[in-house]
Amino acid sequence: MSGSFPEESLLELFIFETLQSLQQLEDSILASEQQDSLKVEDINLIFRIMHTIKGSAAVMGYTNISALAHAMEDLFFYLRDHPKAPYDCSELSDLILQGIDFTKLETIKIRNGDPADGDASALADELAAYLQYLKNRSASEAAERDADAAKLQHSAGMRQAADAGAAGTSCYRALLRFEETCQLENIRAFTVIHRLDETLDCTFTFQPEDIIENPDSADVIRRDGFVIVLETAVRREVIADFLRNAPYVSVMELEQLQERPSAIQHLTPLMQETEQPLHTNELAARMPDFTLQTAGGKKPKESGNFPPAHQTMISVNVAKMDKLMDLIGELVIAETMVTQNPDLAAVSGTLDNFSKAARQLRKISAEMQDVVMSLRMVPLAATFHKMGRIVRDMTRKLNKEATLVILGEETEVDKNIIEHLSDPLMHLVRNALDHGIEPPEERLTAGKPRSGTVTLEAKHSGGDVMVMIRDDGKGLHRDKIVRRALENGLLTRDERELSDKEIFKLIFHPGFSTKDSVSEFSGRGVGMDVVVKDLEQVGGTATVDSVPGAGSTVTLRIPLTLAIVDAMNVGVGDSRFSLPTASIVRSFRPNAKDLLLDPHGNEWIMVRGGCYPVLRLHHLSGTARSTASIEEGILIMVEDEGRSLCLLADELLGQQQVVVKALPDYIQNSAGSKHFAGCTLLGDGSISLILDVIRLTSAMNTAAISY
Amino acid sequence: MAGNNVYEESPEEDTQRDKYLIFSLGRQFYGIEIEYVTEIIGLQPIAGIPDLPEYIKGIINLRGKIIPVMDVRLRFRMEPQPYNDRTCVIVIDILDEILGLIVESVSEVLPIPPEEIVPAPDSPGSGRFVTRIGKTAHGVKLLLDCAKLLRDAEPERPGNAIQPNE
């Protein structure tokens, strides 16, 4: 369907914006569904988003997306003008979510270079049908209400208005006051009139009449207000809402007129009076022709002007950010080269002024580095909220009840990591719902609340971020897992030797699934191993905890950022290594007598009663070096998940925050890179390799289960 | 098109066509197409990485960018030579990969018109890197296929076709 071949960057922008808008749309739909009603802001937002998508898709030549967006826009155009339309929130959400899904799918197709060939006409028809249905129902309801209103007026013994209900139209008089600072009141008034004409089906007159021709009318409006008398079948609330939300309107008073004024002149004396709305009652007494019904007049404008929040954000290409970060890194290095330049030593006298200036420079560049780092950090909120949709869809299809609780969504993680986190989270949430949460009846029998809870929680822990997916479902069955593992030949050791944690870890094994029946969502044995694979790409790990009957928790541990790590730099010969500070337990000078040698030549060391493997970092420096005496070096004990390892280095160089850079692809593809999580540049411009402690410890300690 | 001015740093292919950067290893002169060359730098401190092919000396810091460096002598299975102050690193950008080539010295940029280039004989061994031979007034230059330098260096996919992206 993509008839044209648009410019690449334009296409990129379209895809980016569309996906972002769709996410926003989905969030607001889900939020409204929870409250079972659409707020005016939501309707406006949805309308706006659909309008944008419609336009941009049409420009890009994706007619199917544009057609569907058009149908959705129509629906919300109607809802916007008829906020009391008798829509069913859940039905409506279903329709819109279907539309979102379709558009998302097509957009992803476009991103992948496939033709966007989906057919949305069925869905568009459904939307149109729903719109028609709403229109019919609301028309009949409005008629009913009008009849009711007429009856009410009769019984209240009010002045008979023979024509009020009969023709279905009523007469209103509205007094508008604009914000004091808005200026050009006549133009504002004209805008209101213009919009009124466009959006509402009505006839009207207004005072002062010469708002366009006569600039002085601005003063009149400022002093006396702007009066519109209109006759329409549209319900009162709609008019009130429309006028109140018109731009710059600060005060709006709406009253229903029992008798149609033959000319607007009748109203002019009224205007002076209504300057103080307090007098309205008095006014009604004096003017028996009017029945006064103030429509909650003094509400400040609410959604007429959208908060400009979205305009304070810009999206930037990640490549540019990376470039900026590289440059800052360079700047810091260059600064060190200047401030510690050997030539300075040759200068006689003190360098007071120089040092002062250098300090200032260092302060600024450090601050700059912090800011650039923080630019890359994105809160987890968006990723977490995406899960709301999954919970909604799955609970419906599985006939389960569950709510999603989100904690710590403000936790920030590096942009790169977020991208790798979305899929694992999705799998885990699905699993929690499918395998964890029981059907409502079962839950009630077990003495649990009918509705299950899936909790997503994020928090900082040392240099890492922990993300926990917790459910209060039935938990994991150790025996079942063991049985399945035996069937698949996954157990290499006697199960009695294994801790619960180790047994639970088996569910991350590829091809492992204990669910007896395969459901639409999970149970095919793919998924959990994908979780681990995705996580490993960003240096994360997953562990499972479970209490039978009480639920299970999957804990993901991911580095806070791929970009910056608090590290200890150590020197080995000419080489430099960096160790994440979070994993260091202690460092100490070893005694040669504590060193043990096993028959295979592996070195161990006894430390405070414990025995730990030793890795000489010289072996990792790429340069062959004769084995130095262990007493001349320093041992650094590192730990990950209870597994420890001692690294032998020549010296500790100090602790600092280092910018992590990936090793070149070229190197990463070779075996040699497996010990390293990346590299970094030190202050003098030299390269330091960042050791991958997780991998080193697990390689040096024989793992119970290999996966 | 600003194709005539060789001093202008223009991305136009015209200015780069048929130009070769000539460097020397031992007594022999080699040429690589100038379009792949991004810059020439002096030798930098190299951070070694274990378990790499011996001709990959490690990684260097090129103004904040980490790039691998390859000793071309070792790549050609020649005897290693100690580096000196004439030793240079030619930074090439090929197949989306940036790589430093350590060479004994860089001599000049020479235009070699296509009619002065003949295909190299198909001899086994190190001949696979030299695909063509350029004839110039100052002798013969062996023209290298940069992609081959890179390709066979990936131990995990020996001799396979290269995927430009990863």
Side-chain angles (χ1 to χ4, degrees):
Chain A
M1 273 250 185
S2 54
S4 57
F5 294 94
E7 206 186 318
E8 191 75 4
S9 62
L10 204 62
L11 185 66
E12 229 167 70
L13 198 67
F14 166 73
I15 291 166
F16 174 77
E17 280 185 349
T18 308
L19 289 179
Q20 206 171 41
S21 311
L22 287 174
Q23 191 54 50
Q24 204 183 357
L25 192 58
E26 194 174 296
D27 287 348
S28 73
I29 288 275
L30 290 179
S32 332
E33 198 186 21
Q34 297 223 313
Q35 296 157 6
D36 209 31
S37 80
L38 284 164
K39 286 202 287 292
V40 187
E41 302 96 89
D42 292 333
I43 293 180
N44 280 327
L45 176 78
I46 296 166
F47 177 76
R48 224 157 22 102
I49 291 175
M50 286 335 293
H51 187 76
T52 315
I53 292 179
K54 180 184 85 167
S56 49
V59 168
M60 305 300 289
Y62 302 114
T63 43
N64 54 345
I65 296 181
S66 154
L68 180 67
H70 184 71
M72 297 216 260
E73 187 193 347
D74 277 348
L75 184 57
F76 279 90
F77 179 75
Y78 178 79
L79 286 177
R80 194 174 66 162
D81 290 345
H82 303 79
K84 292 287 183 317
Y87 58 85
D88 179 281
C89 207
S90 150
E91 274 174 42
L92 187 68
S93 305
D94 269 345
L95 274 176
I96 298 303
L97 288 176
Q98 277 177 36
I100 294 173
D101 285 348
F102 175 83
T103 316
K104 211 184 260 176
L105 191 72
E106 294 302 302
T107 314
I108 288 167
K109 275 192 202 167
I110 296 167
R111 187 174 60 186
N112 296 343
D114 299 329
D117 50 4
D119 184 14
S121 54
L123 196 54
D125 289 347
E126 212 174 315
L127 284 164
Y130 192 69
L131 174 61
Q132 196 51 47
Y133 159 79
L134 281 186
K135 275 184 180 162
N136 293 344
R137 265 194 68 184
S138 111
S140 58
E141 259 179 39
E144 261 171 47
R145 207 171 306 180
D146 277 349
D148 283 353
K151 253 185 248 161
L152 208 77
Q153 279 165 357
H154 272 287
S155 58
M158 305 274 267
R159 215 187 130 87
Q160 295 269 329
D163 52 343
T169 64
S170 338
C171 221
Y172 301 94
R173 174 186 172 281
L175 174 74
L176 299 183
R177 286 185 183 282
F178 295 96
E179 285 167 31
E180 277 175 29
T181 52
C182 85
Q183 302 289 329
L184 296 174
E185 281 80 357
N186 53 334
I187 304 297
R188 311 288 172 216
F190 180 74
T191 318
V192 175
I193 292 295
H194 184 70
R195 286 204 186 176
L196 189 63
D197 196 26
E198 268 190 340
T199 38
L200 295 182
D201 182 22
C202 60
T203 53
F204 53 85
T205 51
F206 47 89
Q207 177 76 26
E209 283 169 309
D210 52 353
I211 48 173
I212 285 301
E213 304 83 33
N214 180 7
D216 294 340
S217 60
D219 297 330
V220 179
I221 295 173
R222 205 173 302 148
R223 196 180 63 235
D224 300 334
F226 180 63
V227 178
I228 309 170
V229 174
L230 69 164
E231 188 181 338
T232 176
V234 176
R235 273 172 304 116
R236 179 199 177 94
E237 298 88 82
V238 180
I239 305 171
D241 223 49
F242 172 84
L243 291 173
R244 197 177 305 132
N245 291 330
Y248 298 103
V249 170
S250 65
V251 178
M252 196 283 302
E253 288 164 39
L254 185 72
E255 44 193 291
Q256 189 159 11
L257 306 177
Q258 290 303 87
E259 189 180 77
R260 264 170 248 184
S262 50
I264 198 144
Q265 284 88 307
H266 286 262
L267 296 162
T268 18
L270 190 79
M271 276 168 19
Q272 269 83 23
E273 312 284 342
T274 42
E275 214 162 333
Q276 292 141 313
L278 276 176
H279 293 173
T280 42
N281 281 335
E282 192 187 317
L283 197 82
R286 246 193 290 157
M287 295 250 165
D289 275 6
F290 304 120
T291 307
L292 243 110
Q293 293 178 7
T294 32
K298 265 203 174 174
K299 260 196 188 164
K301 39 141 196 126
E302 277 168 343
S303 50
N305 300 333
F306 289 100
H310 59 284
Q311 279 166 3
T312 61
M313 310 282 274
I314 56 165
S315 18
V316 182
N317 193 329
V318 178
K320 279 189 191 166
M321 302 263 304
D322 289 345
K323 178 84 189 152
L324 181 62
M325 203 161 69
D326 281 351
L327 285 173
I328 299 282
E330 276 303 297
L331 179 73
V332 173
I333 293 161
E335 173 209 294
T336 321
M337 280 153 97
V338 171
T339 53
Q340 292 169 16
N341 200 297
D343 288 0
L344 292 172
V347 178
S348 55
T350 55
L351 291 166
D352 277 352
N353 289 324
F354 177 82
S355 322
K356 219 184 207 169
R359 255 200 316 276
Q360 180 71 6
L361 176 65
R362 195 169 310 132
K363 201 175 133 225
I364 294 172
S365 55
E367 210 166 300
M368 223 157 113
Q369 201 174 2
D370 282 352
V371 171
V372 172
M373 287 304 159
S374 70
L375 288 182
R376 299 177 53 89
M377 302 299 270
V378 184
L380 280 165
T383 315
F384 275 13
H385 282 281
K386 263 193 225 164
M387 302 305 144
R389 177 72 193 281
I390 290 160
V391 172
R392 171 193 184 271
D393 286 358
M394 285 208 44
T395 45
R396 283 190 169 206
K397 292 210 175 137
L398 296 169
N399 284 324
K400 291 182 179 179
E401 285 177 30
T403 44
L404 180 69
V405 177
I406 291 175
L407 298 172
E409 59 177 358
E410 69 286 344
T411 310
E412 289 190 328
V413 176
D414 191 86
K415 170 96 177 81
N416 288 346
I417 290 178
I418 290 251
E419 278 161 16
H420 284 95
L421 200 60
S422 187
D423 279 357
L425 270 184
M426 203 159 71
H427 279 299
L428 290 171
V429 170
R430 279 186 182 161
N431 260 288
L433 287 166
D434 199 10
H435 303 294
I437 304 284
E438 313 92 330
E441 304 76 47
E442 206 175 301
R443 289 185 63 88
L444 286 175
T445 354
K448 296 190 202 175
R450 191 180 158 80
S451 170
T453 310
V454 177
T455 314
L456 275 178
E457 185 179 354
K459 63 179 180 195
H460 288 289
S461 156
D464 294 343
V465 168
M466 311 256 278
V467 177
M468 279 154 291
I469 299 94
R470 200 162 36 232
D471 67 66
D472 61 349
K474 54 179 178 269
L476 292 168
H477 278 271
R478 185 188 159 109
D479 296 345
K480 259 190 177 174
I481 296 172
V482 169
R483 212 179 314 135
R484 180 61 59 98
L486 285 172
E487 279 168 26
N488 296 355
L490 301 176
L491 270 190
T492 47
R493 274 165 52 188
D494 193 325
E495 59 127 325
R496 277 161 303 185
E497 282 180 28
L498 297 176
S499 69
D500 280 358
K501 253 193 170 150
E502 283 167 315
I503 293 283
F504 293 149
K505 219 168 187 173
L506 285 168
I507 65 169
F508 292 123
H509 200 284
F512 185 92
S513 175
T514 53
K515 189 87 194 289
D516 299 322
S517 64
V518 170
S519 78
E520 188 190 336
F521 299 107
S522 48
R524 268 157 296 178
V526 293
M528 290 304 248
D529 60 312
V530 175
V531 169
V532 177
K533 279 217 188 76
D534 275 346
L535 276 176
E536 276 177 352
Q537 280 193 6
V538 291
T541 54
T543 49
V544 193
D545 275 309
S546 183
V547 180
S552 27
T553 306
V554 180
T555 308
L556 310 182
R557 236 185 123 106
I558 39 174
L560 179 62
T561 167
L562 292 178
I564 186 162
V565 167
D566 201 18
M568 173 68 82
N569 297 324
V570 301
V572 180
D574 295 333
S575 301
R576 303 278 176 268
F577 293 102
S578 298
L579 287 160
T581 320
S583 58
I584 296 179
V585 184
R586 68 171 78 91
S587 60
F588 53 95
R589 290 246 171 232
N591 285 321
K593 64 177 169 49
D594 294 330
L595 198 68
L596 308 169
L597 208 64
D598 88 339
H600 305 291
N602 296 320
E603 286 177 301
W604 292 331
I605 191 139
M606 294 294 296
V607 184
R608 298 189 191 173
C611 184
Y612 304 95
V614 173
L615 174 68
R616 291 180 184 237
L617 288 176
H618 308 106
H619 297 315
L620 297 182
S621 65
T623 48
R625 234 182 94 99
S626 58
T627 324
S629 157
I630 196 164
E631 280 175 309
E632 286 168 25
I634 188 152
L635 275 176
I636 302 135
M637 190 191 285
V638 291
E639 189 212 56
D640 173 65
E641 285 182 9
R643 291 179 296 214
S644 301
L645 170 67
C646 288
L647 302 168
L648 179 65
D650 288 349
E651 53 178 337
L652 297 180
L653 297 172
Q655 189 183 337
Q656 72 174 105
Q657 295 227 313
V658 297
V659 183
V660 182
K661 289 169 177 290
L663 290 169
D665 292 351
Y666 194 74
I667 302 280
Q668 244 166 27
N669 292 333
S670 71
S673 68
K674 66 174 185 289
H675 311 293
F676 307 110
C679 58
T680 187
L681 297 175
L682 300 182
D684 59 358
S686 67
I687 296 175
S688 172
L689 291 159
I690 300 168
L691 292 165
D692 187 339
V693 170
I694 296 173
R695 239 185 277 180
L696 284 176
T697 49
S698 59
M700 293 293 280
N701 293 266
T702 338
I705 301 150
S706 55
Y707 63 83
Chain B
M1 290 276 115
N4 299 327
N5 188 353
V6 285
Y7 299 105
E8 193 173 306
E9 268 206 11
S10 151
E12 303 299 329
E13 261 183 46
D14 281 356
T15 59
Q16 300 183 347
R17 182 166 296 159
D18 300 331
K19 288 210 174 66
Y20 295 84
L21 177 69
I22 308 299
F23 63 89
S24 64
L25 294 179
R27 282 176 296 120
Q28 189 50 256
F29 286 94
Y30 295 83
I32 53 177
E33 283 147 278
I34 198 91
E35 61 171 291
Y36 297 125
V37 178
T38 43
E39 62 187 301
I40 299 160
I41 53 174
L43 193 65
Q44 314 255 327
I46 300 172
I49 292 183
D51 301 338
L52 287 179
E54 57 163 359
Y55 52 79
I56 300 291
K57 302 301 285 184
I59 49 181
I60 60 165
N61 165 21
L62 177 68
R63 289 187 312 281
K65 193 153 177 59
I66 308 296
I67 63 166
V69 284
M70 174 192 290
D71 187 322
V72 183
R73 274 192 80 88
L74 296 177
R75 185 73 177 117
F76 293 169
R77 308 228 174 89
M78 296 164 145
E79 281 302 305
Q81 281 233 331
Y83 300 145
N84 56 34
D85 53 2
R86 283 183 62 79
T87 308
C88 285
V89 177
I90 304 172
V91 181
I92 60 168
D93 183 349
I94 183 164
L95 300 166
D96 287 342
E97 193 86 57
I98 298 175
L99 179 70
L101 302 177
I102 304 173
V103 298
E104 270 164 49
S105 71
V106 170
S107 51
E108 61 193 323
V109 175
L110 269 187
I112 308 178
E115 55 272 19
E116 295 298 319
I117 295 175
V118 294
D122 203 10
S123 60
S126 66
R128 63 202 163 125
F129 298 117
V130 178
T131 49
R132 295 168 302 161
I133 290 164
K135 296 176 282 182
T136 68
H138 311 284
V140 173
K141 319 286 179 200
L142 304 180
L143 305 183
L144 295 181
D145 182 343
C146 285
K148 277 206 176 132
L149 283 179
L150 190 66
R151 184 181 308 169
D152 297 338
E154 285 173 38
E156 308 226 329
R157 323 182 197 121
N160 280 348
I162 292 197
Q163 290 105 9
N165 297 313
E166 298 259 317

